[in-house]
C-alpha cells in the first residue's frame, strides 16, 4: 500500500504565497505598532513638559453665604507667571462662583489664600486648572 500525500513536498517549490503574505503582514504590523508607540510616547512627553504650572487646593472654607476662602498651592518655574482658575458649586451642582487668580510671584512654590465671591452658599471649591507662560511673554 502506498501512502497518499496531500500538498507539495517540503522544500521543493519554495515558500507558498500564504507564507510570504503572512511574513509581510507581520512586518507591516510591527512597523505600524512601533510607529503608534512612538506617537503615543511623543504626545505623553509633550503633554507633561507643557505643564508650566501645577496647582492644588490645600483647604477651603465657606466663610459666608456669598464667599469661599481657598488656600491654593502652585508649583512653577521661578520666573514663570500664569493664571489658575477656581470655581465653587452649590449643593445642586450649579456653579455659584468662579475666579481667575494671577500667579506672578518670583518663587518656585506659591501658597496663597484667595476669596471667591459666590451667588449663594457654596459646598465646594475646585481648581479647574492652571495655565502659564514664561515671564515677559504675556
Amino acid at each position: 500500500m502506498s501512502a497518499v500525500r496531500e500538498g507539495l513536498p517540503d522544500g521543493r517549490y519554495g515558500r507558498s504565497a500564504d507564507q510570504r503574505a503572512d511574513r509581510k503582514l507581520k512586518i507591516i504590523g510591527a512597523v505600524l505598532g512601533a510607529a503608534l508607540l512612538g506617537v503615543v510616547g511623543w504626545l505623553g512627553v509633550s503633554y507633561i513638559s507643557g505643564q508650566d504650572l501645577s496647582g492644588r487646593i490645600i483647604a477651603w472654607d465657606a466663610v459666608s453665604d456669598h464667599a469661599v476662602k481657598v488656600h491654593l498651592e502652585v508649583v512653577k518655574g521661578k520666573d514663570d507667571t500664569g493664571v489658575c482658575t477656581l470655581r465653587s458649586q452649590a449643593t445642586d451642582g450649579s456653579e455659584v462662583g468662579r475666579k481667575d487668580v494671577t500667579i506672578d510671584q518670583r518663587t518656585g512654590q506659591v501658597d496663597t489664600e484667595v476669596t471667591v465671591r459666590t451667588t449663594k452658599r457654596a459646598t465646594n471649591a475646585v481648581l479647574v486648572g492652571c495655565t502659564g507662560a514664561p515671564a515677559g511673554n504675556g
Side-chain angles (χ1 to χ4, degrees):
M1 294 204 178
S2 65
V4 178
R5 287 189 74 156
E6 293 184 22
L8 301 173
D10 291 333
R12 185 162 186 179
Y13 298 104
R15 291 185 156 176
S16 71
D18 288 342
Q19 289 174 328
R20 282 190 293 268
D22 287 347
R23 185 162 192 258
K24 286 181 183 177
L25 286 175
K26 287 179 185 177
I27 291 171
I28 291 171
V31 169
L32 289 177
L36 179 63
L37 189 61
V39 168
V40 169
W42 177 76
L43 289 174
V45 167
S46 66
Y47 176 77
I48 290 170
S49 65
Q51 298 289 318
D52 295 335
L53 299 171
S54 72
R56 66 182 182 140
I57 293 179
I58 303 298
W60 64 272
D61 183 27
V63 293
S64 73
D65 286 345
H66 298 287
V68 175
K69 186 176 274 190
V70 179
H71 180 182
L72 178 65
E73 177 186 80
V74 179
V75 178
K76 63 181 188 64
K78 185 178 177 187
D79 295 326
D80 290 345
T81 61
V83 175
C84 291
T85 302
L86 300 169
R87 85 172 176 182
S88 238
Q89 293 175 304
T91 54
D92 63 359
S94 63
E95 185 175 291
V96 294
R98 180 176 282 259
K99 184 170 187 170
D100 290 333
V101 181
T102 301
I103 307 296
D104 57 1
Q105 293 87 340
R106 299 285 180 216
T107 60
Q109 180 172 337
V110 177
D111 283 317
T112 185
E113 285 197 358
V114 179
T115 300
V116 179
R117 296 194 180 277
T118 61
T119 56
K120 61 182 181 179
R121 186 117 186 131
T123 59
N124 70 6
V126 178
L127 176 63
V128 176
C130 295
T131 58
N137 289 350

